[in-house]
Amino acid sequence: MKLYPLFADLSQRAVLVVGGGAVAERKIQALLAAQAVVTVNAVELTGQLQRWVAEGRIAQRREAFRDDWLDRVWLVVAATSDREVNRQVAAAAMQRRIFANVVDDAALSSFHVPAVIDRAPLTIAISSGGDAPMLARLLRERLESLLDHSLGTLATLAAKLRKRIRVRFVDMAARRRFYESLFAGPVATLLRQGRPDEALAAAERALAAAPTESAGSVVLVGAGPGDPGLLTLRALRALNEADVILHDRLVSAEVLDLARGDAERIEVGKQAGHHHTTQDGIHVLMLEHARAGRRVVRLKGGDPFVFGRGGEELEFLRAHKIPYEVVPGITAAVACAAYAGIPLTHRDHAQSVRFVTAHGQASRDTLDWHALAQERQTLAVYMGVAGLAELQQRLIEHGRAPSTPFALIENGSRAEQRVITGTLANLAEGAAMHAVRSPALLILGEVAALATSLAWFGAPPVGAAMHAIRAPASRQPERDDAPARAGLLTAIHRASR
Ligand code: SAH
């Protein structure tokens, strides 16, 4: 069940709790903490509830529950062990359109009470929609230990200064930056150490000294190949601090989801054939946003300095005196190799690895094919699938053995990853047969053959043609060979036509 979370202001508002046992007591305690006006409906009460009644903190009704009581309350909680009564309360609430919580009965409840981490005035609430309350509780315990108890006092201190902060920092970005330094810097440390007066003094000093205009900047961030687990901690921080994110198409949605919610996201993606924003357009966007004082994250697939035109972007920023940083990312070759079980170097097979781009005719024409055709090296080729036939032909012409193994990795590290294996002789044919699409990376060299035995992620590798599948002996026995067999059947079918 997908619930809509909300925090209710129950101060001075009437709430009815039906039931007087331990569960009712816990609910009432929380309601009193929120300053609700609570009536408990039960004959028998726990000792604590009796005391609260005696002290006048809550009222008691002893008679049997009556529907029309709900005409005067904002919320009702049914915490009796009598299912019939609980049902009656829920039905009466439903009729009046007021929210009812029936303890331990998600189906009868129109609101749930979350597991709470209380750092008043900060409240963190967790719900599993009633499906996995145990998981919610475990998560709460974890967060409890993670979040220092001084968080509440920090929030109170921030509230005290809030008006002055607003007056001093008209510029939103500068204001946000001041808050960030307040929450992460020495003020927070002093509070953790239980020195609230010194913390307040330090906050006041910081407020007087902080720059009121924010200086914009650009962080060039490598987003990795798609799996958000492959982001660096620094990349994550940059995403959390960003005002604007200029991202390529290649950047996965899962990675973008980790960025600050209210950061403006602008896709400046380039895909083979479809140029959304020109390189100059990207430069202008970076400049405009940085000059407006924003923190710009220029987010690129893989690593920004590997076939990412990151160099050009920095040259432009330098020329325009915009401060910048670079956060490396895991480049496609490294990620695809890892996720396909292909070691890029291997004592027996390859002493070196080359990252090559074969995007477009121009880049293929200037490649040193002789060097690329050398034995005992691995080629990791970043490219559109279109150039494969030419690559195959030129490498063979320059002496690379047609029997050299390859692996084509499509959507490396993502849930939909596919790996096609074969030999140089059937590279283009294999890619076409399996309709390989961008983004795909080619690994060529003896090491590529290891994908068949070392694969661990996603669907098992599929042979591009017959001889690549003829030796399934090295395959892990538990691996499902069906996709490879399907490939084999297609190949046989084609050959026999
Ligand atoms: N800067 C990027 C590369 C940009 S060039 C990096 O370091 O990875 C774009 C090419 O990278 C694509 O054509 C494809 O060959 C490769 N690529 C990027 N992500 C990929 C992925 N998840 N799986 C396979 N190849 C990928």
Side-chain angles (χ1 to χ4, degrees):
M1 196 187 322
K2 179 103 179 145
L3 300 175
Y4 179 73
L6 61 86
F7 288 90
D9 174 6
L10 291 179
S11 168
Q12 305 315 318
R13 302 207 158 119
V15 176
L16 179 71
V17 177
V18 185
V23 180
E25 181 188 314
R26 273 206 305 280
K27 302 277 168 185
I28 290 173
Q29 184 170 27
L31 288 164
L32 287 178
Q35 295 172 328
V37 180
V38 179
T39 301
V40 61
N41 173 216
V43 181
E44 305 235 321
L45 299 181
T46 65
Q48 179 63 268
L49 287 173
Q50 286 172 27
R51 272 193 293 283
W52 283 337
V53 172
E55 291 162 9
R57 294 189 63 193
I58 60 176
Q60 182 183 12
R61 301 192 93 139
R62 296 165 162 280
E63 58 274 47
F65 170 77
R66 280 207 347 242
D67 291 9
D68 62 352
W69 291 347
L70 297 190
D71 291 336
R72 281 183 299 277
V73 301
W74 289 74
L75 276 186
V76 61
V77 176
T80 77
S81 49
D82 183 335
R83 229 182 122 67
E84 256 328 293
V85 175
N86 287 350
R87 208 184 281 280
Q88 186 194 345
V89 173
M94 170 88 88
Q95 204 178 26
R96 286 163 179 77
R97 297 183 188 178
I98 69 165
F99 283 107
N101 173 252
V102 180
V103 171
D104 285 336
D105 195 330
L108 282 184
S109 297
S110 54
F111 79 92
H112 292 200
V113 181
V116 165
I117 297 129
D118 182 7
R119 299 286 183 273
L122 262 176
T123 308
I124 298 168
I126 305 168
S127 156
S128 65
D131 289 341
M134 212 47 206
L135 191 64
R137 237 163 281 157
L138 275 176
L139 197 60
R140 194 199 66 177
E141 277 165 30
R142 238 192 253 175
L143 289 173
E144 277 285 1
S145 60
L146 217 65
L147 300 172
D148 196 84
H149 278 268
S150 65
L151 260 185
T153 39
L154 183 58
T156 309
L157 182 146
K160 242 184 237 167
L161 298 176
R162 187 161 161 207
K163 257 204 199 107
R164 283 158 58 196
I165 293 173
R166 202 161 33 198
V167 171
R168 182 159 166 86
F169 302 104
V170 184
D171 175 34
M172 267 304 289
R175 193 185 305 168
R176 188 175 320 116
R177 228 147 294 175
F178 177 73
Y179 273 115
E180 276 168 14
S181 68
L182 199 63
F183 294 151
V187 173
T189 311
L190 285 166
L191 283 177
R192 268 199 300 279
Q193 295 165 349
R195 295 151 70 185
D197 296 341
E198 288 162 71
L200 184 60
E204 307 239 352
R205 276 197 306 278
L207 183 55
T212 53
E213 301 243 307
S214 62
S217 61
V218 176
V219 195
L220 200 57
V221 177
D227 178 350
L230 295 180
L231 276 179
T232 62
L233 292 175
R234 231 174 228 281
L236 192 61
R237 172 141 31 100
L239 286 174
N240 273 315
E241 292 174 350
D243 299 311
V244 183
I245 298 169
L246 305 176
H247 66 91
D248 287 350
R249 259 192 67 99
L250 262 185
V251 173
S252 72
E254 290 89 336
V255 167
L256 282 172
D257 280 348
L258 293 175
R260 219 184 80 219
D262 50 353
E264 186 184 348
R265 292 151 165 81
I266 304 174
E267 185 183 309
V268 291
K270 285 171 282 177
Q271 198 189 19
H274 313 273
H275 284 254
H276 287 219
T277 314
T278 59
Q279 191 61 38
D280 285 344
I282 294 173
H283 291 175
V284 169
L285 276 173
M286 288 196 300
L287 189 62
E288 280 176 356
H289 285 289
R291 285 212 168 134
R294 303 193 186 105
R295 273 182 301 196
V296 180
V297 163
R298 171 73 181 103
L299 189 62
K300 290 165 170 289
D303 179 88
F305 280 178
V306 178
F307 309 130
R309 303 189 72 168
E312 286 161 61
E313 293 179 10
L314 289 200
E315 280 162 19
F316 177 85
L317 292 171
R318 167 120 313 183
H320 290 83
K321 299 200 164 52
I322 303 290
Y324 58 76
E325 283 173 43
V326 183
V327 180
I330 295 193
T331 190
V334 171
C336 289
Y339 278 62
I342 300 171
L344 287 173
T345 64
H346 192 292
R347 283 217 302 198
D348 300 335
H349 310 300
Q351 276 83 43
S352 69
V353 52
R354 279 174 195 259
F355 291 1
V356 186
T357 176
H359 261 305
Q361 195 60 50
S363 70
R364 287 195 292 275
D365 283 343
T366 49
L367 282 173
D368 179 353
W369 290 100
H370 175 72
L372 294 180
Q374 298 304 305
E375 305 283 302
R376 298 190 67 76
Q377 67 171 333
T378 307
L379 299 186
V381 189
Y382 294 67
M383 64 184 313
V385 186
L388 283 173
E390 185 185 337
L391 183 107
Q392 170 183 345
Q393 187 199 337
R394 292 227 202 179
L395 284 175
I396 292 176
E397 274 170 16
H398 285 82
R400 191 89 203 219
S403 61
T404 311
F406 79 79
L408 259 172
I409 299 116
E410 180 190 84
N411 281 309
S413 89
R414 303 176 185 213
E416 59 275 25
Q417 170 174 306
R418 281 201 304 164
V419 178
I420 317 294
T421 57
T423 60
L424 186 53
N426 62 25
L427 171 60
E429 183 200 357
M433 178 167 127
H434 291 282
V436 174
R437 291 202 201 309
S438 185
L441 183 110
L442 169 71
I443 297 181
L444 186 87
E446 308 304 325
V447 291
L450 292 168
T452 321
S453 50
L454 298 182
W456 58 273
F457 177 80
V462 180
M466 295 166 67
H467 59 95
I469 313 154
R470 229 187 271 134
S474 59
R475 237 168 229 281
Q476 288 162 17
E478 72 274 18
R479 197 166 278 296
D480 178 11
D481 271 344
R485 295 229 177 80
L488 174 64
L489 286 180
T490 319
I492 293 170
H493 180 67
R494 287 188 176 215
S496 65
R497 266 193 306 183

